[in-house]
């Protein structure tokens, strides 16, 4: 009996310690803004003062143009200088999409008043998900189109940009709803570099995403707050 | 001394019976919860809250009481068209789950009726069977 008690105490202590350690670690992470650059890198040679210099070019999302729920064109210019989170879904999805959307809503609410952050959801079923359908969907989610764009476009352009975000999406008659796709949320910085990929159906990963976003934002706002105090 | 042992024995018997029924009961409860998590939670969420005006809630939904007679058929065959739940309109379409048996549907329904803060009367398998009989023509499509 005595021994049992001791070992329970010991495991509780261990658990507490590891929780603390984990927290300290993850806090350190989000403060130092050292989120990785994901995707393939290219080495670029360049001449500076007659010397050969090698730069690393990070994988960058190419230019794009889609149409959102307000029939407005959304391009790479729309996300210029913004940090954005993007995903791929379809409105009639019988599986993970509503969960993804309820998690995306948490990000929406966390950064609702910060114009430096945007959300971009692509439909992978443009045949069904017309502008009108996306409009209705966004209305029912009660979200603002300046902050959260639901876009449609040429099927090929959508599927090829998904590859650039390193998200799998394709048609498959065998799958429920007719499409395979991942529930990934992709975090993209102001220069269209991918800085994180998270499981958009897992609240714990979305917690981390919400903590990671500020690491990409310029520290200006914080300073101002400090000045005020 | 003898009386004491007797009481003890009775006590043990009752305790065993209680655990047994609890086991039996919670097995069904578990199947309901497991099936709910597998087939319903993606849309209606783990806590039955639904999603804004897209997916209706099951938690505290007046629909569960007002349309009790239709619930088994909704699960088996899905639902389309505008419906009103707690005064709000929904019109998104729910897929059917034709492969679920009447026993499984009963367990899911009982899970829904007695969780998320709901406290509605449970379903018997006979009641579910009767409801499914009314919409059996949908299976033959």
């Amino acid at each position: 009996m005595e021994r049992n008690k001791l070992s329970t105490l010991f495991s509780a202590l261990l658990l507490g310690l590891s929780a603390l350690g984990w927290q300290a670690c993850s806090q350190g992470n989000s403060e130092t803004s050292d989120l990785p650059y994901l995707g393939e890198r290219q080495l670029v040679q360049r001449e500076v003062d007659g010397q050969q210099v090698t730069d690393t070019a990070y994988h960058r999302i190419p230019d794009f143009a889609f149409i959102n729920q307000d029939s407005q064109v959304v391009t790479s210019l729309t996300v210029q200088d913004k940090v954005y989170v993007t995903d791929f879904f379809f409105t009639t999805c019988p599986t993970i999409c509503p969960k993804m959307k309820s998690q995306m809503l948490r990000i929406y609410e966390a950064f609702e008043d910060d114009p430096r952050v945007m959300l971009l959801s692509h439909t992978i079923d443009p045949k069904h998900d017309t502008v009108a359908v996306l409009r209705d969907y966004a209305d029912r989610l009660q979200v603002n189109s300046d902050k959260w764009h639901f876009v449609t476009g040429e099927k090929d352009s959508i599927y090829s940009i998904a590859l650039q975000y390193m998200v799998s999406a394709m048609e498959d008659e065998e799958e429920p709803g007719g499409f395979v796709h991942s529930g990934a949320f992709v975090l993209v910085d102001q220069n269209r570099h991918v800085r994180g990929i998270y499981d958009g159906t897992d609240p714990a990963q979305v917690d981390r995403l919400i903590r990671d976003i500020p690491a990409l934002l310029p520290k200006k706002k914080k300073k101002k707050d400090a000045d005020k105090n | 001394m003898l009386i004491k042992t007797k009481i003890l024995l009775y006590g043990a018997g009752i305790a065993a019976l209680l655990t047994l029924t609890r086991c039996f009961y919670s097995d069904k409860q578990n199947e309901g919860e497991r099936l709910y998590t597998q087939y319903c939670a993606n849309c209606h969420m783990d806590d039955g809250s639904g999603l804004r005006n897209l997916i209706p809630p099951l938690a505290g939904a007046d629909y569960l009481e007002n349309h009790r007679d239709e619930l088994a058929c909704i699960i088996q065959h899905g639902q389309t068209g505008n419906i009103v739940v707690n005064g709000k309109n929904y019109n998104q379409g729910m897929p059917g789950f034709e492969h679920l048996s009447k026993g499984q549907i009963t367990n899911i329904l009982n899970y829904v009726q007695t969780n998320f803060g709901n406290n509605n009367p449970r379903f018997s398998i006979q009641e579910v069977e009767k409801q499914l009989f009314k919409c059996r023509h949908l299976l033959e499509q």
Side-chain angles (χ1 to χ4, degrees), chain A residues 91-102 105 108-109 136-137 139-143 201, chain B residues 37 39 41-46 50-55 82 88-93 95 97:
Chain A
T91 63
T92 54
C93 159
T95 54
I96 54 177
C97 304
K99 263 207 174 149
M100 289 166 70
K101 289 293 163 278
S102 86
L105 268 174
Y108 179 89
E109 279 164 1
D136 182 61
Y137 195 86
D139 280 350
R140 285 177 187 273
L141 273 182
Q142 300 165 302
V143 296
T201 64
Chain B
T37 307
Y39 295 114
N42 265 325
C43 286
H44 292 282
M45 305 298 147
D46 293 322
L51 180 58
R52 297 271 168 110
N53 297 336
L54 272 172
I55 313 258
N82 193 73
K88 276 204 219 169
N89 286 294
Y90 296 88
N91 193 0
Q92 193 65 28
F97 298 89

Side-chain angles (χ1 to χ4, degrees), chain A residues 18-179:
Chain A
S18 51
L20 258 173
W22 185 77
Q23 223 194 6
C25 251
S26 52
Q27 265 174 7
N29 249 344
S30 59
E31 262 166 28
T32 50
S33 122
D34 49 5
L35 296 176
Y37 288 84
L38 304 179
E40 252 174 57
R41 286 159 196 217
Q42 271 173 348
L43 296 181
V44 185
Q45 300 278 344
R46 153 172 93 92
E47 235 187 65
V48 180
D49 301 332
Q51 297 244 351
Q52 282 288 324
V53 183
T54 316
D55 284 341
T56 314
Y58 296 115
H59 170 67
R60 188 164 192 256
I61 303 299
D63 289 346
F64 58 81
F66 296 113
I67 297 186
N68 78 358
Q69 69 265 40
D70 291 342
S71 301
Q72 301 288 323
V73 180
V74 171
T75 68
S76 355
L77 281 178
T78 317
V79 297
Q80 196 174 18
D81 301 324
K82 310 264 185 197
V83 168
Y84 66 100
V85 180
T86 194
D87 72 347
F88 292 80
F89 84 116
F90 55 113
T91 63
T92 54
C93 159
T95 54
I96 54 177
C97 304
K99 263 207 174 149
M100 289 166 70
K101 289 293 163 278
S102 86
Q103 291 301 320
M104 196 65 106
L105 268 174
R106 294 181 53 216
I107 306 172
Y108 179 89
E109 279 164 1
F111 298 94
E112 196 163 4
D113 301 321
D114 192 334
R116 300 171 298 175
V117 180
M118 265 180 39
L119 306 177
L120 179 61
S121 290
H122 306 75
T123 176
I124 54 170
D125 184 9
K127 208 157 116 199
H128 177 271
D129 292 343
T130 57
V131 167
V133 170
L134 293 176
R135 165 89 261 163
D136 182 61
Y137 195 86
D139 280 350
R140 285 177 187 273
L141 273 182
Q142 300 165 302
V143 296
N144 183 330
S145 354
D146 294 332
K147 177 116 227 144
W148 190 348
H149 297 279
F150 292 84
V151 297
T152 181
E154 289 290 326
K155 199 171 81 186
D156 290 344
S157 333
I158 295 170
Y159 285 51
S160 71
I161 201 106
L163 283 179
Q164 297 288 336
Y165 288 113
M166 296 167 268
V167 170
S168 61
M170 55 179 149
E171 278 179 289
D172 184 346
E173 280 174 18
E174 307 275 294
E175 285 291 314
F179 299 88

